[in-house]
Amino acid sequence: MIPAAFDYARPTTVEEACAALADAGEDAKVLAGGQSLMPLLRLRLAYPDALIDLDRVEALREIRDEGDALFIGAMATHHQVMRDPLVREHAPLIAKATATVADPAVRHRGTFGGALAHADPAGDLPAVALALDAEFAAVSAERGERRMPAAEFFVDWMTSALEPDEILVGVRVPKLGAGWGVHYEKFHRTAQAWAIVGVACAVRRGQDGVEEARVALTNMGPTPVRATEVERSLQGRAASEDAFKEAAQRAAEGTSPPGDLHGSSEYRAHLARVLTARALTAAAAG
Amino acid sequence: MTRVRVEVDGVTYEDDVEPRLLLVHYLRDRLGKVGTPIGCDTTNCGACTVLLDGVSVKSCSVLAVQADGRQVTTVEGLGIDGTLHPLQRAFHEEHALQCGFCTPGMIMAALDLLRENAAPSDEEIREGLEGNLCRCTGYQNIVRAVRRAAREMRTPAQEREVTS
Ligand SMILES: Cc1cc2nc3c(=O)[nH]c(=O)nc-3n(C[C@H](O)[C@H](O)[C@H](O)COP(=O)(O)OP(=O)(O)OC[C@H]3O[C@@H](n4cnc5c(N)ncnc54)[C@H](O)[C@@H]3O)c2cc1C
Ligand code: FES
Ligand code: FES
């Protein structure tokens, strides 16, 4: 189908983009890579009055080193992120998970920020950002910049904490130092498919076993969730496969997985336990 | 209406377009380049794949206004003076199509893959084409065709005659 008509602005700076978004009012939308928004427009599930296209805001594509963290610009494409030397060195979990997103053509257009702002619980990157304790930077013309932790950014199903006049400019990702291993375990049935369940995981091993474990789940509720019971029960335990399997039994605690044609909520709870054990084992080995 | 200037298959076009006009509709309905088909409403099938400034995109997920000032290559721009591109020839020779609906997108996605990886394994070919659905062939011959074209594109023509 053909999208409903809209006004169109193509700013080249963040300031222009914020001003255009504020001027266009509540029913305007930001267009990033369009890989989620264009299908919604074509199906007329979304019909904004105006689109503010960030495609030519080059400053938002930057990925920079901030010492103890990376700052990944919202418009960095999936293709760019998974190949970026800084990301591969300091945030390999993002590079690994991004490589599982969609297909090459979609990754050429789709963006890191778009995948987060879209706040789809089946998206792979929200859980990854949550596992890495990422901090989100949003800007509006009226109120300037504000920062919020990942746990506050994902509010509900397909709903982020962004206000209608705010643009996500990027995400600050603390670097994981020595001793950390990471893994993203994604379960899907066909090529180029969304996760039925996904597990983003980072494990820091010390001499006496697990010093810290972080586990975040994709598609186990309306927002990505941390498997806090698994994290807690692993602290100080030996980094053995048996310990990981035992801890993973608690992966579905406190979650509310959806039931749909890809699987019932019970099936998802089962998957979360199995995949968490696999993810922990792979992360600790890496 | 917004004025755009787009180079498509080596020819520059200037047009006034509505912002909501999809690139694929611009190619087909305004420029008559119907070599690029539309297979879905959800950016899943990949039939509409073209190169935008040299990299593959699904042209049903890009607005014509976003192509302003850029270069687009469609399957129609591959052959030169009636000579098929090695990928087109390989698809033909390996029976990599039946109805042919997916073929333009498959070829453009394969071209993008070979630009980054001149000698892909079968696994890498499958991953490179994962955004392109074929409802007829079962993919085996498509993979074979891409492998054959890759070999041909790596080896200059004279050398091939000597070795084969
Ligand atoms: C065939 C296909 C398969 C896919 N498979 C996967 C998959 O397996 N895993 C996965 O995680 N994703 C998948 N995706 C989605 C893909 O990752 C998208 O790129 C992503 O969800 C949206 O990013 P985008 O840049 O295209 O954003 P857009 O589609 O442009 O925007 C999405 C939403 O976010 C808002 N938005 C975007 N950027 C900003 C910003 N900077 N500030 C404020 N608001 C903003 C928009 O207004 C819109 O509401 C798939 C998509 C397709 C088409
Ligand atoms: S028509 Fe573009 S992906 Fe199907
Ligand atoms: S040949 Fe018919 S869809 Fe591929």
Side-chain angles (χ1 to χ4, degrees), chain A residues 1-6 8 10 31 34-35 38-39 42-44 53 55-56 79 83 102-109 191-192, chain B residues 18-20 22 25 38 40-44 52 55-58 60-63 65-66 68 70 112 115-116 127-128 130-131:
Chain A
M1 279 198 316
I2 295 172
F6 49 77
Y8 175 77
R10 192 166 69 195
L31 175 63
Q35 300 304 293
M38 290 306 299
R42 291 177 66 199
L43 297 166
R44 299 218 179 180
D53 182 2
D55 197 38
R56 310 239 168 154
H79 178 85
R83 280 169 178 72
D103 58 67
V106 169
R107 291 195 297 262
H108 283 143
R109 302 279 313 159
Q192 182 228 55
Chain B
E18 260 192 291
R20 64 171 166 165
L22 304 176
H25 287 139
I38 305 174
C40 72
D41 264 329
T42 50
T43 308
N44 272 282
L52 181 61
V55 303
S56 62
V57 301
K58 297 183 180 180
C60 69
S61 72
V62 178
L63 300 170
V65 287
Q66 295 186 299
D68 183 25
R70 302 200 161 147
D112 184 78
R115 176 181 57 80
E116 287 207 329
E127 274 178 17
E130 94 178 294

Short mmCIF file of all heavy atoms in Angstrom, two decimals, chain A residues 1-6 8 10 31 34-35 38-39 42-44 53 55-56 79 83 102-109 191-192, chain B residues 18-20 22 25 38 40-44 52 55-58 60-63 65-66 68 70 112 115-116 127-128 130-131:
data_model
loop_
_atom_site.label_atom_id
_atom_site.label_comp_id
_atom_site.label_asym_id
_atom_site.label_seq_id
_atom_site.Cartn_x
_atom_site.Cartn_y
_atom_site.Cartn_z
N MET A 1 0.84 -1.21 0.00
CA MET A 1 0.00 0.00 0.00
C MET A 1 0.87 1.25 0.00
O MET A 1 2.05 1.18 0.29
CB MET A 1 -0.89 0.01 1.24
CG MET A 1 -2.10 -0.85 1.05
SD MET A 1 -3.43 -0.52 2.21
CE MET A 1 -2.64 -0.38 3.77
N ILE A 2 0.25 2.36 -0.27
CA ILE A 2 0.97 3.63 -0.33
C ILE A 2 0.73 4.35 1.00
O ILE A 2 -0.40 4.42 1.48
CB ILE A 2 0.45 4.46 -1.52
CG1 ILE A 2 0.81 3.72 -2.82
CG2 ILE A 2 1.01 5.87 -1.51
CD1 ILE A 2 0.20 4.31 -4.05
N PRO A 3 1.79 4.87 1.62
CA PRO A 3 1.59 5.57 2.90
C PRO A 3 0.64 6.76 2.75
O PRO A 3 0.53 7.35 1.67
CB PRO A 3 3.01 6.05 3.27
CG PRO A 3 3.94 5.22 2.46
CD PRO A 3 3.20 4.83 1.21
N ALA A 4 -0.02 7.12 3.85
CA ALA A 4 -0.82 8.35 3.88
C ALA A 4 0.12 9.54 3.74
O ALA A 4 1.31 9.44 4.07
CB ALA A 4 -1.59 8.42 5.19
N ALA A 5 -0.39 10.65 3.22
CA ALA A 5 0.46 11.82 2.97
C ALA A 5 1.00 12.39 4.29
O ALA A 5 0.35 12.31 5.33
CB ALA A 5 -0.35 12.88 2.23
N PHE A 6 2.20 12.93 4.21
CA PHE A 6 2.81 13.58 5.39
C PHE A 6 3.71 14.71 4.92
O PHE A 6 4.16 14.72 3.78
CB PHE A 6 3.60 12.55 6.21
CG PHE A 6 4.56 11.70 5.40
CD1 PHE A 6 5.77 12.20 4.94
CD2 PHE A 6 4.22 10.38 5.07
CE1 PHE A 6 6.64 11.41 4.19
CE2 PHE A 6 5.09 9.60 4.30
CZ PHE A 6 6.30 10.12 3.87
N TYR A 8 7.34 16.63 5.19
CA TYR A 8 8.64 15.99 5.26
C TYR A 8 9.73 17.04 5.50
O TYR A 8 9.76 18.06 4.82
CB TYR A 8 8.89 15.26 3.94
CG TYR A 8 10.26 14.64 3.80
CD1 TYR A 8 10.58 13.45 4.46
CD2 TYR A 8 11.22 15.22 2.99
CE1 TYR A 8 11.83 12.88 4.32
CE2 TYR A 8 12.48 14.65 2.83
CZ TYR A 8 12.78 13.47 3.50
OH TYR A 8 14.01 12.90 3.36
N ARG A 10 14.03 17.46 6.13
CA ARG A 10 15.30 16.75 6.04
C ARG A 10 16.41 17.60 6.62
O ARG A 10 17.19 18.21 5.90
CB ARG A 10 15.58 16.43 4.57
CG ARG A 10 16.71 15.45 4.39
CD ARG A 10 16.73 14.92 2.98
NE ARG A 10 17.12 15.94 2.01
CZ ARG A 10 16.94 15.84 0.70
NH1 ARG A 10 16.37 14.79 0.19
NH2 ARG A 10 17.34 16.79 -0.10
N LEU A 31 12.10 9.83 11.48
CA LEU A 31 12.42 8.73 10.57
C LEU A 31 13.92 8.48 10.66
O LEU A 31 14.72 9.38 10.41
CB LEU A 31 12.03 9.10 9.13
CG LEU A 31 12.41 8.09 8.03
CD1 LEU A 31 11.70 6.76 8.22
CD2 LEU A 31 12.10 8.65 6.64
N GLY A 34 14.09 3.67 8.82
CA GLY A 34 12.83 3.35 8.16
C GLY A 34 12.51 1.86 8.09
O GLY A 34 11.50 1.47 7.51
N GLN A 35 13.33 1.01 8.70
CA GLN A 35 13.13 -0.43 8.51
C GLN A 35 11.99 -0.97 9.36
O GLN A 35 11.49 -2.06 9.11
CB GLN A 35 14.43 -1.19 8.77
CG GLN A 35 15.55 -0.77 7.83
CD GLN A 35 15.15 -0.90 6.37
OE1 GLN A 35 14.96 -2.00 5.87
NE2 GLN A 35 15.00 0.22 5.67
N MET A 38 8.78 2.38 7.92
CA MET A 38 8.20 2.36 6.57
C MET A 38 7.15 1.26 6.40
O MET A 38 6.08 1.53 5.86
CB MET A 38 9.30 2.23 5.49
CG MET A 38 10.17 3.47 5.32
SD MET A 38 9.25 4.98 5.00
CE MET A 38 8.46 4.51 3.50
N PRO A 39 7.42 0.03 6.88
CA PRO A 39 6.34 -0.97 6.79
C PRO A 39 5.08 -0.53 7.55
O PRO A 39 3.96 -0.74 7.08
CB PRO A 39 6.95 -2.22 7.44
CG PRO A 39 8.43 -2.05 7.26
CD PRO A 39 8.69 -0.57 7.33
N ARG A 42 3.31 1.87 5.37
CA ARG A 42 2.73 1.22 4.20
C ARG A 42 1.48 0.43 4.58
O ARG A 42 0.54 0.33 3.79
CB ARG A 42 3.75 0.29 3.55
CG ARG A 42 4.88 1.06 2.90
CD ARG A 42 5.91 0.13 2.32
NE ARG A 42 5.36 -0.63 1.21
CZ ARG A 42 5.90 -1.76 0.75
NH1 ARG A 42 6.97 -2.26 1.32
NH2 ARG A 42 5.37 -2.38 -0.28
N LEU A 43 1.49 -0.15 5.76
CA LEU A 43 0.31 -0.89 6.22
C LEU A 43 -0.72 0.06 6.83
O LEU A 43 -1.80 -0.37 7.24
CB LEU A 43 0.71 -1.95 7.25
CG LEU A 43 1.65 -3.05 6.74
CD1 LEU A 43 2.27 -3.84 7.89
CD2 LEU A 43 0.91 -3.98 5.80
N ARG A 44 -0.37 1.32 6.88
CA ARG A 44 -1.19 2.38 7.50
C ARG A 44 -1.54 2.06 8.95
O ARG A 44 -2.62 2.40 9.45
CB ARG A 44 -2.45 2.67 6.67
CG ARG A 44 -2.05 3.14 5.27
CD ARG A 44 -2.95 4.21 4.73
NE ARG A 44 -2.50 4.64 3.40
CZ ARG A 44 -3.10 5.56 2.69
NH1 ARG A 44 -4.18 6.15 3.14
NH2 ARG A 44 -2.63 5.92 1.52
N ASP A 53 13.26 13.47 8.97
CA ASP A 53 14.18 12.44 8.48
C ASP A 53 15.61 12.74 8.96
O ASP A 53 16.18 13.77 8.60
CB ASP A 53 14.10 12.44 6.94
CG ASP A 53 14.98 11.37 6.32
OD1 ASP A 53 15.62 10.60 7.06
OD2 ASP A 53 15.02 11.31 5.07
N ASP A 55 18.23 11.01 8.20
CA ASP A 55 19.18 10.34 7.30
C ASP A 55 20.42 11.19 7.00
O ASP A 55 21.50 10.67 6.79
CB ASP A 55 18.46 9.97 6.00
CG ASP A 55 19.23 8.93 5.19
OD1 ASP A 55 19.82 8.03 5.82
OD2 ASP A 55 19.24 9.02 3.96
N ARG A 56 20.25 12.52 6.96
CA ARG A 56 21.40 13.36 6.57
C ARG A 56 22.01 14.10 7.76
O ARG A 56 22.78 15.06 7.57
CB ARG A 56 20.96 14.36 5.49
CG ARG A 56 20.22 13.67 4.35
CD ARG A 56 20.84 13.85 3.00
NE ARG A 56 20.19 12.90 2.07
CZ ARG A 56 20.09 13.05 0.77
NH1 ARG A 56 20.59 14.12 0.19
NH2 ARG A 56 19.51 12.14 0.02
N HIS A 79 24.89 -2.16 10.08
CA HIS A 79 26.05 -2.57 9.27
C HIS A 79 27.33 -1.93 9.81
O HIS A 79 28.36 -2.59 9.94
CB HIS A 79 25.80 -2.12 7.81
CG HIS A 79 26.91 -2.42 6.88
ND1 HIS A 79 27.04 -3.63 6.26
CD2 HIS A 79 27.95 -1.68 6.44
CE1 HIS A 79 28.11 -3.62 5.48
NE2 HIS A 79 28.69 -2.44 5.58
N ARG A 83 30.67 -3.80 12.39
CA ARG A 83 32.04 -3.81 11.87
C ARG A 83 32.96 -2.83 12.58
O ARG A 83 34.16 -2.83 12.35
CB ARG A 83 32.01 -3.43 10.38
CG ARG A 83 31.62 -4.56 9.50
CD ARG A 83 31.34 -4.09 8.09
NE ARG A 83 31.01 -5.22 7.24
CZ ARG A 83 29.87 -5.90 7.30
NH1 ARG A 83 28.94 -5.55 8.17
NH2 ARG A 83 29.65 -6.93 6.51
N ALA A 102 18.00 -9.11 11.45
CA ALA A 102 17.50 -8.99 10.08
C ALA A 102 18.47 -9.56 9.04
O ALA A 102 19.01 -10.64 9.21
CB ALA A 102 17.13 -7.55 9.79
N ASP A 103 18.69 -8.82 7.96
CA ASP A 103 19.48 -9.29 6.82
C ASP A 103 20.35 -8.12 6.32
O ASP A 103 20.17 -6.99 6.76
CB ASP A 103 18.52 -9.76 5.72
CG ASP A 103 17.57 -8.66 5.28
OD1 ASP A 103 18.02 -7.66 4.68
OD2 ASP A 103 16.35 -8.77 5.55
N PRO A 104 21.29 -8.39 5.40
CA PRO A 104 22.22 -7.32 5.02
C PRO A 104 21.56 -6.02 4.54
O PRO A 104 21.99 -4.93 4.94
CB PRO A 104 23.05 -7.97 3.90
CG PRO A 104 23.02 -9.43 4.21
CD PRO A 104 21.66 -9.68 4.79
N ALA A 105 20.55 -6.11 3.69
CA ALA A 105 19.94 -4.88 3.16
C ALA A 105 19.26 -4.08 4.28
O ALA A 105 19.37 -2.85 4.33
CB ALA A 105 18.93 -5.22 2.05
N VAL A 106 18.59 -4.77 5.18
CA VAL A 106 17.94 -4.09 6.32
C VAL A 106 19.02 -3.48 7.22
O VAL A 106 18.87 -2.36 7.72
CB VAL A 106 17.03 -5.06 7.10
CG1 VAL A 106 16.57 -4.44 8.42
CG2 VAL A 106 15.82 -5.44 6.25
N ARG A 107 20.13 -4.18 7.39
CA ARG A 107 21.20 -3.66 8.25
C ARG A 107 21.91 -2.46 7.63
O ARG A 107 22.52 -1.66 8.34
CB ARG A 107 22.21 -4.77 8.58
CG ARG A 107 21.63 -5.84 9.49
CD ARG A 107 22.72 -6.72 10.10
NE ARG A 107 23.47 -7.46 9.12
CZ ARG A 107 23.24 -8.74 8.79
NH1 ARG A 107 22.26 -9.41 9.38
NH2 ARG A 107 23.98 -9.35 7.89
N HIS A 108 21.85 -2.32 6.31
CA HIS A 108 22.44 -1.12 5.68
C HIS A 108 21.67 0.14 6.04
O HIS A 108 22.22 1.24 6.06
CB HIS A 108 22.44 -1.27 4.15
CG HIS A 108 23.53 -2.17 3.65
ND1 HIS A 108 23.35 -3.01 2.58
CD2 HIS A 108 24.80 -2.37 4.07
CE1 HIS A 108 24.47 -3.69 2.36
NE2 HIS A 108 25.36 -3.32 3.26
N ARG A 109 20.37 0.03 6.26
CA ARG A 109 19.53 1.20 6.55
C ARG A 109 19.18 1.31 8.04
O ARG A 109 19.17 2.40 8.60
CB ARG A 109 18.20 1.16 5.78
CG ARG A 109 18.28 1.08 4.29
CD ARG A 109 18.51 2.39 3.57
NE ARG A 109 17.68 3.52 3.99
CZ ARG A 109 18.03 4.79 3.77
NH1 ARG A 109 19.17 5.09 3.18
NH2 ARG A 109 17.25 5.77 4.14
N ALA A 191 15.37 -18.22 8.74
CA ALA A 191 16.34 -17.17 8.46
C ALA A 191 15.67 -15.81 8.61
O ALA A 191 14.46 -15.68 8.50
CB ALA A 191 16.88 -17.34 7.04
N GLN A 192 16.45 -14.78 8.87
CA GLN A 192 15.98 -13.40 8.90
C GLN A 192 14.76 -13.24 9.81
O GLN A 192 13.83 -12.52 9.50
CB GLN A 192 15.65 -12.97 7.45
CG GLN A 192 15.20 -11.56 7.24
CD GLN A 192 13.95 -11.51 6.36
OE1 GLN A 192 12.93 -12.13 6.64
NE2 GLN A 192 14.02 -10.72 5.31
N GLU B 18 6.04 13.51 -4.45
CA GLU B 18 5.44 13.61 -3.12
C GLU B 18 6.38 12.93 -2.13
O GLU B 18 6.93 11.87 -2.46
CB GLU B 18 4.11 12.85 -3.11
CG GLU B 18 2.88 13.70 -3.26
CD GLU B 18 1.64 12.87 -2.93
OE1 GLU B 18 1.31 11.94 -3.70
OE2 GLU B 18 1.04 13.12 -1.88
N PRO B 19 6.54 13.47 -0.92
CA PRO B 19 7.43 12.82 0.04
C PRO B 19 7.06 11.36 0.30
O PRO B 19 7.92 10.54 0.58
CB PRO B 19 7.26 13.65 1.32
CG PRO B 19 6.83 14.99 0.83
CD PRO B 19 6.03 14.75 -0.41
N ARG B 20 5.77 11.01 0.21
CA ARG B 20 5.38 9.63 0.55
C ARG B 20 5.67 8.64 -0.58
O ARG B 20 5.42 7.44 -0.41
CB ARG B 20 3.90 9.59 0.90
CG ARG B 20 3.00 9.95 -0.26
CD ARG B 20 1.57 9.66 0.14
NE ARG B 20 0.61 10.27 -0.75
CZ ARG B 20 -0.65 9.93 -0.78
NH1 ARG B 20 -1.10 9.01 0.03
NH2 ARG B 20 -1.48 10.53 -1.60
N LEU B 22 7.37 5.98 -2.54
CA LEU B 22 8.45 5.03 -2.25
C LEU B 22 9.42 4.98 -3.44
O LEU B 22 9.01 5.13 -4.59
CB LEU B 22 7.89 3.64 -2.00
CG LEU B 22 6.84 3.50 -0.89
CD1 LEU B 22 6.31 2.07 -0.83
CD2 LEU B 22 7.44 3.89 0.46
N HIS B 25 8.31 2.65 -6.14
CA HIS B 25 7.23 3.18 -7.00
C HIS B 25 7.78 4.23 -7.96
O HIS B 25 7.34 4.31 -9.11
CB HIS B 25 6.10 3.76 -6.14
CG HIS B 25 5.28 2.71 -5.45
ND1 HIS B 25 4.84 2.84 -4.16
CD2 HIS B 25 4.84 1.50 -5.88
CE1 HIS B 25 4.14 1.75 -3.82
NE2 HIS B 25 4.14 0.93 -4.84
N ILE B 38 7.76 -5.63 -6.79
CA ILE B 38 7.32 -5.43 -5.40
C ILE B 38 6.64 -6.72 -4.96
O ILE B 38 5.70 -7.16 -5.61
CB ILE B 38 6.29 -4.29 -5.28
CG1 ILE B 38 6.86 -3.01 -5.89
CG2 ILE B 38 5.88 -4.08 -3.82
CD1 ILE B 38 5.84 -1.87 -5.94
N CYS B 40 5.95 -7.50 -1.36
CA CYS B 40 5.32 -7.51 -0.04
C CYS B 40 5.09 -6.09 0.46
O CYS B 40 5.52 -5.13 -0.17
CB CYS B 40 6.19 -8.28 0.97
SG CYS B 40 7.70 -7.39 1.44
N ASP B 41 4.43 -6.00 1.60
CA ASP B 41 4.18 -4.70 2.23
C ASP B 41 5.01 -4.52 3.49
O ASP B 41 4.81 -3.57 4.24
CB ASP B 41 2.69 -4.59 2.61
CG ASP B 41 1.89 -3.86 1.54
OD1 ASP B 41 2.46 -2.97 0.89
OD2 ASP B 41 0.70 -4.18 1.38
N THR B 42 5.87 -5.48 3.78
CA THR B 42 6.48 -5.52 5.11
C THR B 42 8.01 -5.49 5.10
O THR B 42 8.64 -5.73 6.13
CB THR B 42 6.02 -6.80 5.83
OG1 THR B 42 6.24 -7.90 4.93
CG2 THR B 42 4.56 -6.75 6.20
N THR B 43 8.62 -5.24 3.91
CA THR B 43 10.08 -5.19 3.81
C THR B 43 10.72 -6.54 4.13
O THR B 43 11.86 -6.62 4.55
CB THR B 43 10.64 -4.05 4.71
OG1 THR B 43 9.93 -2.86 4.38
CG2 THR B 43 12.10 -3.74 4.48
N ASN B 44 9.98 -7.61 3.90
CA ASN B 44 10.49 -8.94 4.19
C ASN B 44 11.10 -9.66 2.98
O ASN B 44 12.06 -10.39 3.13
CB ASN B 44 9.37 -9.83 4.71
CG ASN B 44 9.22 -9.72 6.20
OD1 ASN B 44 10.00 -10.30 6.95
ND2 ASN B 44 8.27 -8.94 6.65
N LEU B 52 21.84 1.44 -3.45
CA LEU B 52 21.75 2.88 -3.25
C LEU B 52 23.15 3.33 -2.85
O LEU B 52 23.68 2.85 -1.83
CB LEU B 52 20.73 3.19 -2.14
CG LEU B 52 20.50 4.67 -1.80
CD1 LEU B 52 19.97 5.46 -2.99
CD2 LEU B 52 19.52 4.80 -0.62
N VAL B 55 25.33 0.24 -2.06
CA VAL B 55 25.01 -0.83 -1.10
C VAL B 55 23.53 -1.23 -1.22
O VAL B 55 22.68 -0.42 -1.57
CB VAL B 55 25.32 -0.45 0.37
CG1 VAL B 55 26.78 -0.08 0.55
CG2 VAL B 55 24.42 0.65 0.86
N SER B 56 23.26 -2.50 -0.90
CA SER B 56 21.92 -3.02 -1.10
C SER B 56 20.92 -2.40 -0.12
O SER B 56 21.23 -2.22 1.06
CB SER B 56 21.91 -4.55 -0.93
OG SER B 56 22.31 -4.90 0.39
N VAL B 57 19.75 -2.08 -0.64
CA VAL B 57 18.64 -1.62 0.20
C VAL B 57 17.36 -2.20 -0.41
O VAL B 57 17.31 -2.51 -1.59
CB VAL B 57 18.51 -0.07 0.25
CG1 VAL B 57 19.77 0.57 0.80
CG2 VAL B 57 18.16 0.52 -1.11
N LYS B 58 16.35 -2.32 0.43
CA LYS B 58 15.04 -2.73 -0.07
C LYS B 58 14.32 -1.45 -0.46
O LYS B 58 14.01 -0.62 0.40
CB LYS B 58 14.30 -3.54 1.00
CG LYS B 58 15.06 -4.85 1.33
CD LYS B 58 14.35 -5.73 2.34
CE LYS B 58 15.18 -6.99 2.59
NZ LYS B 58 14.53 -7.89 3.57
N CYS B 60 11.49 -0.65 -1.25
CA CYS B 60 10.15 -0.39 -0.73
C CYS B 60 10.22 0.23 0.66
O CYS B 60 9.21 0.60 1.22
CB CYS B 60 9.34 -1.67 -0.67
SG CYS B 60 9.93 -2.82 0.60
N SER B 61 11.44 0.32 1.23
CA SER B 61 11.56 0.89 2.58
C SER B 61 12.32 2.21 2.55
O SER B 61 12.74 2.71 3.59
CB SER B 61 12.29 -0.11 3.50
OG SER B 61 13.65 -0.17 3.15
N VAL B 62 12.52 2.73 1.34
CA VAL B 62 13.24 4.00 1.16
C VAL B 62 12.30 4.94 0.42
O VAL B 62 11.59 4.51 -0.50
CB VAL B 62 14.52 3.77 0.33
CG1 VAL B 62 15.26 5.07 0.09
CG2 VAL B 62 15.44 2.75 1.00
N LEU B 63 12.27 6.20 0.82
CA LEU B 63 11.46 7.18 0.10
C LEU B 63 12.25 7.70 -1.10
O LEU B 63 13.49 7.82 -1.03
CB LEU B 63 11.12 8.35 1.02
CG LEU B 63 10.32 8.00 2.28
CD1 LEU B 63 10.26 9.19 3.24
CD2 LEU B 63 8.91 7.56 1.90
N VAL B 65 12.44 10.66 -2.03
CA VAL B 65 13.15 11.89 -1.61
C VAL B 65 14.48 11.56 -0.91
O VAL B 65 15.40 12.36 -0.92
CB VAL B 65 12.32 12.79 -0.67
CG1 VAL B 65 11.21 13.48 -1.45
CG2 VAL B 65 11.73 12.02 0.50
N GLN B 66 14.56 10.36 -0.32
CA GLN B 66 15.81 9.99 0.35
C GLN B 66 16.91 9.62 -0.65
O GLN B 66 18.08 9.56 -0.29
CB GLN B 66 15.58 8.81 1.31
CG GLN B 66 14.65 9.19 2.46
CD GLN B 66 14.54 8.06 3.48
OE1 GLN B 66 14.08 6.97 3.16
NE2 GLN B 66 14.93 8.33 4.71
N ASP B 68 17.48 11.46 -3.22
CA ASP B 68 17.88 12.73 -3.84
C ASP B 68 19.40 12.90 -3.78
O ASP B 68 20.00 12.75 -2.71
CB ASP B 68 17.19 13.87 -3.09
CG ASP B 68 17.49 15.23 -3.72
OD1 ASP B 68 17.79 15.26 -4.93
OD2 ASP B 68 17.42 16.24 -2.99
N ARG B 70 21.59 10.97 -5.00
CA ARG B 70 22.29 9.69 -4.86
C ARG B 70 22.20 8.86 -6.15
O ARG B 70 21.48 9.21 -7.07
CB ARG B 70 21.69 8.90 -3.69
CG ARG B 70 21.80 9.72 -2.42
CD ARG B 70 21.69 8.90 -1.17
NE ARG B 70 22.26 9.70 -0.08
CZ ARG B 70 21.84 9.68 1.17
NH1 ARG B 70 20.87 8.88 1.53
NH2 ARG B 70 22.41 10.43 2.08
N ASP B 112 25.83 -7.28 -3.98
CA ASP B 112 26.28 -6.61 -2.75
C ASP B 112 27.18 -7.55 -1.95
O ASP B 112 28.23 -7.15 -1.44
CB ASP B 112 25.06 -6.22 -1.92
CG ASP B 112 25.45 -5.44 -0.67
OD1 ASP B 112 25.75 -4.25 -0.81
OD2 ASP B 112 25.48 -6.04 0.41
N ARG B 115 30.62 -7.86 -3.54
CA ARG B 115 31.40 -6.62 -3.38
C ARG B 115 32.21 -6.69 -2.08
O ARG B 115 33.35 -6.26 -2.00
CB ARG B 115 30.43 -5.44 -3.35
CG ARG B 115 31.04 -4.09 -3.10
CD ARG B 115 29.93 -3.02 -3.08
NE ARG B 115 28.88 -3.29 -2.09
CZ ARG B 115 28.99 -3.04 -0.80
NH1 ARG B 115 30.07 -2.49 -0.32
NH2 ARG B 115 28.00 -3.32 0.03
N GLU B 116 31.59 -7.28 -1.04
CA GLU B 116 32.27 -7.36 0.26
C GLU B 116 33.09 -8.62 0.40
O GLU B 116 34.03 -8.67 1.18
CB GLU B 116 31.22 -7.35 1.38
CG GLU B 116 30.60 -6.00 1.60
CD GLU B 116 30.11 -5.83 3.04
OE1 GLU B 116 29.73 -6.84 3.66
OE2 GLU B 116 30.15 -4.69 3.52
N GLU B 127 23.72 -16.68 3.98
CA GLU B 127 23.52 -15.56 4.91
C GLU B 127 23.40 -14.24 4.16
O GLU B 127 22.60 -13.38 4.52
CB GLU B 127 24.65 -15.49 5.93
CG GLU B 127 24.35 -16.41 7.09
CD GLU B 127 25.43 -16.45 8.14
OE1 GLU B 127 26.28 -15.54 8.16
OE2 GLU B 127 25.42 -17.40 8.94
N GLY B 128 24.17 -14.09 3.10
CA GLY B 128 24.11 -12.85 2.31
C GLY B 128 22.76 -12.68 1.65
O GLY B 128 22.32 -11.56 1.39
N GLU B 130 19.89 -13.84 2.94
CA GLU B 130 18.84 -14.23 3.89
C GLU B 130 17.64 -13.28 3.86
O GLU B 130 16.55 -13.66 4.28
CB GLU B 130 19.40 -14.42 5.31
CG GLU B 130 19.33 -13.25 6.23
CD GLU B 130 19.86 -13.56 7.62
OE1 GLU B 130 19.24 -14.38 8.33
OE2 GLU B 130 20.87 -12.98 8.02
N GLY B 131 17.82 -12.09 3.33
CA GLY B 131 16.70 -11.15 3.23
C GLY B 131 15.92 -11.30 1.94
O GLY B 131 15.10 -10.44 1.62
#
